[in-house]
Amino acid sequence: MESSSTSAIVEALTRAIVEHRLQPGTKLAEQKLADHFGVSRTLVRQALFQLAQNRLVTLEPARGAFVSTPSVEEARQVFAVRRMLETEMTRAFVQTVTPAKIKALRAHVASEKAAMGTADASSRTELLGDFHVRMAELMGNEVLAQMLGDLISRCALITLMYQSASAAEHSHEEHGDIVAALAARDEALAVSLMQSHLEHVEASLTFDRKRPASDLAAALMP
């Protein structure tokens, strides 16, 4: 039961961070979280420790836990690692592509398109990030899917801090182009498109933005 409760807290906080409801720098007060989830502070502390291991939360002695605030250098390093992983993932995907895998990716891109027409920014953010994890899942590589999931969670913080308002508007279209290249088994084009896509996202970051503020209770409301 305790393990289940801790996992539920980790999942809820991760989703709030990834969906940009919890802002970088937000203080995660143990008692407020315990009251919100109806659990002990011990379970909250365990959950925050797990999130700290995933670099989504920073634990500061005598001050408590805060949603991490990635530095500019960390942001650049995260994108560098993503390019290394995802260009090779794309290369490998072409070698094992099947009609079923392409159908699954096209369905995901269709979900992205539907989300683009709504005011639900959190759903758009989640779907755009999940496209990359979905590729790894379709390859059957659970380790890669988990690694990408962790990196993309960190990217959610980075984009929240540094991305301009119109920065991600072309991501959906670029995903569609990548799927078309994968379907055509054009390895060189698919790899080039993935590299360009990640470079475009990084290039859209504005590193002199001020950090936004947030309210813990409001962020965790369903």
Side-chain angles (χ1 to χ4, degrees), residues 21-29 65-69 211-216 219:
R21 288 183 282 113
L22 269 178
Q23 311 285 339
T26 301
K27 182 174 177 59
L28 302 173
F66 299 82
V67 178
S68 294
T69 305
R211 187 175 69 200
S214 182
D215 177 76
L216 179 58

Side-chain angles (χ1 to χ4, degrees), residues 16-194:
I17 291 169
V18 170
E19 293 181 355
H20 294 178
R21 288 183 282 113
L22 269 178
Q23 311 285 339
T26 301
K27 182 174 177 59
L28 302 173
E30 288 183 7
Q31 190 59 58
K32 285 186 178 181
L33 290 171
D35 293 342
H36 177 85
F37 291 106
V39 299
S40 69
R41 291 180 65 173
T42 298
L43 292 182
V44 169
R45 201 170 295 122
Q46 291 173 358
L48 293 174
F49 179 75
Q50 288 187 31
L51 289 165
Q53 289 183 311
N54 293 337
R55 302 292 193 275
L56 293 182
V57 165
T58 301
L59 302 177
E60 299 185 12
R63 294 192 67 229
F66 299 82
V67 178
S68 294
T69 305
S71 66
V72 172
E73 183 58 28
E74 180 181 348
R76 296 195 186 283
Q77 290 176 3
V78 167
F79 275 97
V81 172
R82 283 192 63 182
R83 284 194 296 273
M84 293 175 200
L85 284 177
E86 295 191 51
T87 52
E88 289 307 309
M89 175 182 72
T90 303
R91 203 182 308 280
F93 195 101
V94 173
Q95 301 304 317
T96 60
V97 71
T98 65
K101 291 178 181 178
I102 295 301
K103 182 178 180 181
L105 285 181
R106 283 177 172 157
H108 187 94
V109 172
S111 296
E112 291 179 3
K113 184 175 182 179
M116 294 298 154
T118 73
D120 189 350
S122 64
S123 291
R124 295 198 299 270
T125 299
E126 184 176 13
L127 284 166
L128 289 171
D130 281 352
F131 172 81
H132 301 264
V133 179
R134 189 75 182 112
M135 284 183 64
E137 290 174 343
L138 289 168
M139 292 173 63
N141 193 324
E142 295 181 6
V143 174
L144 178 58
Q146 183 177 10
M147 291 177 68
L148 277 179
D150 291 343
L151 281 169
I152 288 165
S153 293
R154 293 174 73 173
C155 277
L157 277 173
I158 291 165
T159 56
L160 179 58
M161 286 186 63
Y162 300 119
Q163 200 171 57
S164 60
S166 60
E169 64 184 52
H170 299 303
S171 288
H172 162 64
E173 288 82 358
E174 291 177 344
H175 286 170
D177 293 339
I178 290 168
V179 174
L182 293 172
R185 297 178 182 269
D186 190 331
E187 179 181 313
L189 178 59
V191 170
S192 175
L193 288 171
M194 180 63 81

